[in-house]
Amino acid sequence: MTGLMVVGLAFVVFACAYLGYGRWLVKTWGIDPQAKTPAVKYEDGQDFAPASRFTVFAHQFSSITGAGPVTGPIIAAMFGWAPALLWLLVGGVFFGAVQDFTALYASVKNEGKSMGMLIEKYVGKTGRRLFLLFCWLFTLLVLAAFADIIANTFNGFTKDGALNVPGAQAATISMLYIVVAMGFGVFIKKFQPSGVVKFFVAIALVFAMFAVGMQFPLYLDPQTWRVVTFAYCFIASVLPMWLLMEPRDYLSSFLLLGMVFGGVVGVVVANPVLNMPAFVGFEVKGQSLFPILFITIACGAVSGFHSLVSSGTSSKAIANEKDMLPVGYGAMLVESMLGVVALVIACAAASPDGTVAAGTPFQIFAGAIGGFFQMFGFPAAVSACVITMCISALAMTTIDSVARIGRMSLQELLAPTEGEKQGAASKFLSGIVPSTVLTLALGFALCQAGYMAIWPLFGAANQLLASLVLISLAVFLRTTGRQGWMLYVPMCFMFLVTMTALVMSVVGIVSKLQAGSFVFMIDGLQLILALALMTLAALVVKHCGKELLTGKAESGSAAVE
């Protein structure tokens, strides 16, 4: 099997899915192009800010495309390329894209409410509190994991003390991105340029930032970059969407889409042979295919985090309901294509005996994409900087959205329900600044454990969140008189997979305790979080499942919700 055949197959599948299944969902549930979306109705210059279709697509794609679509498929290649490819195709089309689109759809149809507030409306107050607490704890894991990835990517020094030039250059460019994005946001707000003008200005700014950043690299250690990253998260969380996040995501989308395009074209031109066997076995290196494959490949197939972006930020920027299909369904399929490219690269880079090339998933991916760019005439130094910047952008454009979503989840968790009186402490902590500081402080504490210690629990929690979101959305569809059967298999399968994986994680941590290798700041926090997430998940499923099985659709609700 060659890389061209795999990428060609994936492209056909995803194109047919978008044009067929995606449009069928729109037709089945219904949209109203004339309706005022929440972004238009409640525009406030802070969270609600209507934007063009491509701008919202850029925000959605940039926010959901983190380290997962590169890391997951390359690690999962140990089972062979066939299981990983099938999960990327089936999961992307019928699990992930459906979840992302439905979460966006439900939020837009309900005044831009987040998933937690949607649960309160369709399930009840208890379900809302449980889900929001789960979401908030989950954002702490995402903040910790991705901040550590960024810090190590920007690290100005190698293990032997030499200067890490590409990382330092990418760090400078990333810092420029923050300042330039704010200026770009003011430019768009004040002059409201056409799409063509905005496009060419953005391209010019990207080239300028690269030119400056490559000349003035920043050589700082990882701990310094962790502090800087969390400081950036604070700024991104409290500033209006139009001023920083939307323009930054717009600018970053050119890097990410360029990386996907470069990878696809490189695979087409080079047409590498997949040295990895199609199937290695149901158990490899002590890891069983079920549930590990479905936890390892999250982004690219299905990721619960995506629903928080869809209902937390993107739904508040949709200017027309027609934009929901390309933003919700389309962005996920592009991410799945990135996962396929990463899988092809991993299997092509494997030796003839099926052994995956040495190095981290990022190193394997960056080396291959850099090689593709050099094929097109890019100098080696420029290719290294571009790829390092693309990888850092994957994490940076995720972590700022997570900081904002974490802050909003905590605010909604502390907000009083109808008829309740909010206490003084709760009122203080629900402010924008206090809720942001508390979220980031706990995320920073977890970050000290390191990316590798956090990632396994993050992966399981992420997929568990997907199952909780799917069952909650199924309740929404049933309650509003819409068909929801297409969510039943994904939600049941993901709940079974993730609860199995979490139980395995708890058993592994307890084994460490018995063996005397238990470290509280790493294993202890993970154990507490794992047990808390499992308990919260069981309670959410209990409340949502009861409503799904016994709830009755409101007459005529489909026409108004």
Side-chain angles (χ1 to χ4, degrees):
M1 180 71 77
T2 65
L4 177 57
M5 295 173 64
V6 172
V7 170
L9 171 65
F11 180 81
V12 171
V13 169
F14 293 145
C16 291
Y18 181 84
L19 297 174
Y21 193 49
R23 288 182 175 178
W24 177 79
L25 290 175
V26 170
K27 184 179 179 180
T28 300
W29 295 336
I31 63 170
D32 181 5
Q34 305 303 319
K36 280 191 175 182
T37 63
V40 175
K41 191 183 300 183
Y42 302 113
E43 183 176 4
D44 60 4
Q46 179 67 29
D47 293 322
F48 290 86
S52 68
R53 176 181 299 181
F54 183 77
T55 299
V56 187
F57 173 89
H59 167 70
Q60 176 83 3
F61 177 69
S62 299
S63 298
I64 67 176
T65 308
V70 171
T71 304
I74 292 179
I75 295 175
M78 66 181 180
F79 294 109
W81 59 262
L85 177 62
L86 285 173
W87 177 230
L88 285 167
L89 296 178
V90 175
V93 171
F94 297 106
F95 286 57
V98 171
Q99 175 208 242
D100 295 7
F101 171 69
T102 313
L104 180 65
Y105 180 87
S107 182
V108 170
K109 288 291 189 178
N110 284 275
E111 314 301 322
K113 287 182 170 65
S114 68
M115 282 305 307
M117 302 308 288
L118 286 171
I119 289 177
E120 178 181 13
K121 180 175 181 179
Y122 294 104
V123 179
K125 297 177 182 179
T126 302
R128 165 215 167 194
R129 287 196 174 101
L130 292 171
F131 183 83
L132 286 173
L133 181 56
F134 184 101
C135 288
W136 184 63
L137 292 175
F138 173 72
T139 60
L140 301 183
L141 291 173
V142 182
L143 283 168
F146 280 74
D148 193 60
I149 291 173
I150 293 168
N152 285 288
T153 302
F154 289 168
N155 184 9
F157 309 95
T158 61
K159 290 183 179 180
D160 58 6
L163 295 178
N164 176 21
V165 178
Q169 290 173 331
T172 303
I173 298 168
S174 293
M175 296 302 102
L176 288 173
Y177 249 87
I178 299 171
V179 178
V180 171
M182 293 174 68
F184 188 52
V186 172
F187 166 75
I188 295 172
K189 187 78 170 178
K190 184 174 181 179
F191 297 102
Q192 297 183 347
S194 65
V196 174
V197 172
K198 188 164 65 171
F199 172 82
F200 282 107
V201 170
I203 292 294
L205 290 174
V206 171
F207 276 100
M209 285 186 284
F210 267 88
V212 174
M214 292 186 68
Q215 294 300 315
F216 302 98
L218 285 172
Y219 295 101
L220 300 174
D221 60 82
Q223 186 60 18
T224 301
W225 281 121
R226 290 188 187 98
V227 174
V228 172
T229 299
F230 276 92
Y232 163 67
C233 286
F234 175 82
I235 296 172
S237 178
V238 300
L239 288 182
M241 284 282 293
W242 65 266
L243 182 57
L244 177 56
M245 286 185 62
E246 282 185 356
R248 176 183 162 78
D249 290 341
Y250 184 87
L251 294 170
S252 295
S253 67
F254 292 103
L255 288 178
L256 303 181
L257 291 173
M259 182 174 64
V260 176
F261 179 76
V264 171
V265 173
V267 169
V268 170
V269 173
N271 194 19
V273 175
L274 305 187
N275 295 317
M276 198 76 185
F279 181 67
V280 176
F282 288 101
E283 186 168 327
V284 179
K285 299 178 182 179
Q287 301 285 332
S288 59
L289 188 145
F290 181 90
I292 300 303
L293 173 69
F294 308 100
I295 297 300
T296 303
I297 302 181
C299 296
V302 58
S303 168
F305 166 68
H306 294 188
S307 67
L308 303 186
V309 177
S310 294
S311 66
T313 54
S314 294
S315 65
K316 298 173 178 62
I318 291 287
N320 191 298
E321 289 191 6
K322 292 190 299 183
D323 299 342
M324 290 192 287
L325 179 62
V327 172
Y329 202 88
M332 178 62 207
L333 294 184
V334 177
E335 184 190 71
S336 296
M337 178 58 76
L338 175 59
V340 172
V341 171
L343 176 65
V344 168
I345 285 172
C347 295
S351 60
D353 65 356
T355 303
V356 177
T360 65
F362 274 154
Q363 290 171 334
I364 296 170
F365 184 79
I369 299 294
F372 292 154
F373 280 5
Q374 289 176 48
M375 268 189 342
F376 303 141
F378 284 80
V382 174
S383 297
C385 177
V386 170
I387 297 304
T388 303
M389 181 57 202
C390 287
I391 290 172
S392 66
L394 289 174
M396 286 288 283
T397 53
T398 295
I399 199 170
D400 53 12
S401 292
V402 173
R404 197 178 194 91
I405 292 167
R407 180 260 291 176
M408 294 169 69
S409 296
L410 181 58
Q411 287 180 302
E412 291 176 353
L413 178 63
L414 296 173
T417 57
E418 187 177 351
E420 290 183 343
K421 185 177 181 181
Q422 190 174 28
S426 177
K427 186 175 182 179
F428 170 76
L429 290 175
S430 62
I432 291 181
V433 173
S435 59
T436 301
V437 170
L438 179 58
T439 300
L440 295 181
L442 293 175
F444 185 80
L446 278 174
C447 183
Q448 305 309 304
Y451 157 74
M452 291 305 295
I454 297 166
W455 192 260
L457 182 56
F458 157 72
N462 184 35
Q463 301 301 72
L464 183 55
L465 177 60
S467 68
L468 301 184
V469 167
L470 286 166
I471 190 173
S472 302
L473 292 173
V475 173
F476 156 73
L477 293 172
R478 175 188 171 89
T479 304
T480 58
R482 296 178 172 93
Q483 295 183 41
W485 55 264
M486 63 287 292
L487 272 61
Y488 294 168
V489 171
M491 73 186 187
C492 293
F493 181 76
M494 294 313 300
F495 185 75
L496 178 62
V497 163
T498 50
M499 290 300 279
T500 302
L502 281 172
V503 169
M504 292 170 61
S505 296
V506 170
V507 171
I509 295 173
V510 172
S511 298
K512 284 187 177 183
L513 179 62
Q514 294 174 339
S517 58
F518 185 87
V519 180
F520 180 78
M521 284 305 296
I522 297 177
D523 303 310
L525 289 177
Q526 288 196 65
L527 178 60
I528 293 171
L529 278 173
L531 293 174
L533 292 174
M534 290 170 66
T535 303
L536 288 170
L539 292 172
V540 171
V541 169
K542 177 184 175 182
H543 281 79
C544 292
K546 182 179 179 181
E547 184 67 25
L548 184 62
L549 293 174
T550 63
K552 297 180 180 180
E554 298 173 1
S555 59
S557 59
V560 296
E561 296 292 349

